[in-house]
Amino acid sequence: LALLCAAHTAAASAGGAELALFAVLGARECAERLPFGPSPPLDPSSDPRFDTSLSHALHDTWRQEILPNGTSVGVVVVWHFLSGPRRLAERFLFAVGRGEDVLWEVYSPAHAQVPVNITGTWRFSSAAGLTSAMFEGGSGARFSDDDGTFGAGHP
């Protein structure tokens, strides 16, 4: 299992830069065991990591690709944050403290042309222990102290 998370930056929305890949997750590296810190640009074949060098990336949309076998995309989830643009660090801190209202568009093999739309509130984990210092050059072996979710779901 692999999970790729990318932010549509302001430049990408204006037809500029490509998506900024900020996290590559694995079956065992989803939050608690996910290394984090500034890193060279990630690509889909990178080892699992959360790249904090993108902490200031202003965005209002994410694209998440789920690769059930580690190589082929099985499900795509497009996250539309209803609060509008935020920086990546702010997005996670809000998700821990208050939650982020999201419209998720879920594309799966069964719904490849017409997505399933889900509206809800994304909460990363109230016990994650995320701090602004983590996003300002900090690094470590555990992005979250206790769990954390990267997914769409009903409240």
Side-chain angles (χ1 to χ4, degrees), residues 15-42:
E18 293 183 24
L19 296 175
L21 186 60
F22 66 86
V24 175
L25 287 65
R28 292 186 177 87
E29 301 91 354
C30 291
E32 291 179 29
R33 296 182 187 143
L34 182 65
F36 70 94
S39 71
L42 297 173

Side-chain angles (χ1 to χ4, degrees), residues 86 91 93-101 121-124:
R86 289 196 204 280
R91 184 79 62 203
L93 294 173
F94 269 81
V96 167
R98 299 175 187 87
E100 282 278 347
D101 292 331
T121 302
W122 171 55
R123 291 180 174 85
F124 185 70

Side-chain angles (χ1 to χ4, degrees), residues 1-12:
L1 172 71
L3 182 68
L4 309 174
C5 300
H8 284 270
T9 63

Side-chain angles (χ1 to χ4, degrees), residues 1-125:
L1 172 71
L3 182 68
L4 309 174
C5 300
H8 284 270
T9 63
S13 297
E18 293 183 24
L19 296 175
L21 186 60
F22 66 86
V24 175
L25 287 65
R28 292 186 177 87
E29 301 91 354
C30 291
E32 291 179 29
R33 296 182 187 143
L34 182 65
F36 70 94
S39 71
L42 297 173
D43 66 55
S45 65
S46 297
D47 287 336
R49 183 166 189 79
F50 189 103
D51 180 5
T52 59
S53 66
L54 297 172
S55 295
H56 295 287
L58 190 63
H59 64 280
D60 60 6
T61 306
W62 287 356
R63 179 182 173 90
Q64 179 180 38
E65 296 181 355
I66 302 167
L67 294 74
N69 64 5
T71 57
S72 301
V73 176
V75 176
V76 173
V77 182
V78 179
W79 301 48
H80 298 280
F81 293 99
L82 303 181
S83 60
R86 289 196 204 280
R87 288 175 171 55
L88 193 59
E90 295 168 326
R91 184 79 62 203
F92 274 89
L93 294 173
F94 269 81
V96 167
R98 299 175 187 87
E100 282 278 347
D101 292 331
V102 181
L103 166 63
W104 291 281
E105 293 178 18
V106 182
Y107 297 86
S108 67
H111 303 283
Q113 302 302 318
V114 179
V116 173
N117 291 324
I118 302 168
T119 302
T121 302
W122 171 55
R123 291 180 174 85
F124 185 70
S125 169

